Each structure stands twice: as structure tokens, then as C-alpha cells.
Amino acid sequence: MTFGTTDDGGATRLGLGTGPLGNLFTAVPEEQALATVRAAWELGIRHVDTAPHYGLGLAEERLGRALREIGAARDELTVSTKVGRVLEPNSGYRHGQLDDAFAVPATLRRRWDPSDAGVRRSLEDSLERLGLDHVDTLYLHDPEAYDVDEGIARALPALVRLREEGLVRRVGVGSGDLDVLVRCVREADLDEVICANRYTLLEQPAAEHLLPLCLGRGVDVVAAGVYNSGALASATMPDDVVYEYAPAPDSVVARVRRLYDICRAHGVAVPAAAVQFAAGHPAVTTVLVGARHPDEVTAAVAHASAEIPDALWTDLLEQGLIAAVPQGR
């Protein structure tokens, strides 16, 4: 998927992730959320990913409002969302109670439902929130949080049936668990997977089994979490390194510091190297970058098109920080 006005390989294959627009951890003002989507469209984004999980439907609702406001041509845009969690009223809601990870009232709750009926209901609810008549790709979302065996046995066949019926074009799985992704690719007829946090400049465990498997089976890989939940997101080394949405252990801080030192020596911003590294694997077709502000979208575009000398990749390779030089450089 291209991002921007050029097509120079993986560096331009960006999509917008909308988790932050569901008030992930902190609230995002409505107009700022809409402006973020608007900026992405104006700068050339033509792929957007969302999920019911993000803010108990808030991200989907905001994305739908933004697309209507900007008059986005549906045939110029690809939209993906996810199933597995059905949203329903929370009978235990108390006034002022917020959701665990998202700063939204916990008036709804998530219920795991991998059945054919549950998958179809989740899709129908998402379409209503989005104000769309279809999505292009539908993923099973984080089955490891509930029941992987049931997800593979029930939800994935339900997704394939939706594809066979022409209700979605592509189906897949989104997860940060490599074992789960490998199992799903081996045991189901998938078109793509979202691999979150597992193929990044900081660490590349997905390169050992998942990415070669996907290449061999013709399954596209969408790389998400390429900043490792903030560790690689800053222009300069952060004072407090966040990793897996928590304070990073000393070993990770040390590795992050080495990346910042080496990139600085080559005159390269770490976020630019992070985006372009992930995009440079032949299995990766899209890099998702989450944003909660238009400036973050603008920065992502700049990172994707920044000039990076080959010497940086060689240096990182020789120092054992990456397993392979990204292709197309």
C-alpha cells in the first residue's frame, strides 16, 4: 500500500493505525482525532486499520465520521477491522468507571465470541459504526487473549466463509504472539497477518519463522508497533524508555541507547530507521503507524521518505543489532 506521492519501495508503504484514536491510555479530543485522519488522507494514506477493541468502538466511530467529513472516495481507500470481541452493554457499569486500557466510559464490555454468528455480528456492528457497506480486510484479533484453539477451529473458518461470500476481500489474524501467528498461517487459508511489535529495529524474532513462512505461502505481513510502544518514537533518546507499554528493563534500555547512538552518528532519526527497516523485509507489504495527532502523521510521512545511507544498515548489521539489511535500499 503506497503512502504519499512517491513509490520507492517499502519506505512508502504506510497505513494509519487507529488504536490511539480510541483514547488508548489518554483521551484524544474529538476534533484532534478527526484532524488526524484528515491529515493522513491529505498526505496520501490510503489504508486505515481499526478494531472494535479500540475504545469500545470509539475508534471505528471516529474513523467513520472523519471519512464522511473529508468525502474520502471509497474505491481509493482500504479499511481493515477485526472480530473476536463482540461489544455488548456492561451490566456492571458504575458511574465514572473507565475501561482498563482506553479512556472511555466502560458502558460496554467485550465478549469473546468466535462463532460464525459472533463473527458476522461483530462485522455488522463495525460497519454500522464506520458507516461503510464493507471493509476490505477482516482479522481475528488477539485470539491468545481468549482461546487460540477455538479461534482457529471456529473463527477462522467463519472468516473464510465471509470471504467466499464476497462480504470481505481478505482475511487474516492480528497478534503480537508469534506462535499464534505461525499456527494460524499453517492451519488456515489466510491472506495476511498483522504482526505487532515482533519485527522492528529493536528486535526481529518474526524473521526466524513467521516471515519466511508467510513468504512461502503468499501471506502478506502488516508490520505494526514498529516503534515498540514508544521506545523508538522520539527524535532523541527518551528519558524514560517504554517497552511493551511499561517501563523498559535495563537490557532493553541499553539496546535502545545503542540504536540512538549509531543512528545519530549517521545523521538518521531513529523513527525513520524504524519505519524503513520494517518496510524493507520482502514479506512486509504495509507498515502501520498509530497516531493521535496530525503532527504524528506528518512525521511518519517524513520518516518513510527520509534518506538513509547504506552505511547505517551495515553498521547495525555488524554490531549485531539487525539480522539482515532491509531490501530496496
Side-chain angles (χ1 to χ4, degrees), residues 178-254:
L178 289 179
D179 291 337
V180 168
L181 290 173
V182 167
R183 274 197 64 190
C184 290
V185 171
R186 285 177 173 162
E187 297 182 32
D189 180 18
L190 304 182
D191 299 295
E192 57 189 69
V193 297
I194 294 179
C195 175
N197 302 306
R198 296 296 173 261
Y199 188 73
T200 73
L201 190 67
L202 181 61
E203 55 185 1
Q204 304 102 48
E208 184 175 0
H209 297 299
L210 177 66
L211 300 188
L213 175 65
C214 289
L215 269 179
R217 296 196 175 218
V219 175
D220 293 339
V221 176
V222 177
V226 297
Y227 299 145
N228 282 102
S229 67
L232 307 180
S234 302
T236 58
M237 174 77 183
D239 293 332
D240 299 309
V241 177
V242 176
Y243 173 77
E244 299 289 344
Y245 305 104
D250 291 344
S251 60
V252 172
V253 173

Side-chain angles (χ1 to χ4, degrees), residues 116-157:
D116 188 275
V119 166
R120 289 172 186 266
R121 174 186 163 185
S122 182
L123 174 59
E124 291 168 358
D125 290 348
S126 290
L127 292 176
E128 183 174 351
R129 286 188 290 266
L130 288 163
L132 300 176
D133 61 3
H134 72 284
V135 294
D136 300 278
T137 305
L138 196 60
Y139 299 101
L140 174 62
H141 199 183
D142 294 339
E144 69 277 7
Y146 299 94
D147 188 323
V148 175
D149 291 336
E150 192 176 35
I152 292 174
R154 302 182 69 193
L156 294 185

Side-chain angles (χ1 to χ4, degrees), residues 48-65:
V48 188
D49 177 73
T50 190
H53 175 58
Y54 303 153
L56 297 172
L58 179 62
E60 289 183 323
E61 292 171 355
R62 284 176 160 174
L63 175 57
R65 283 195 289 272

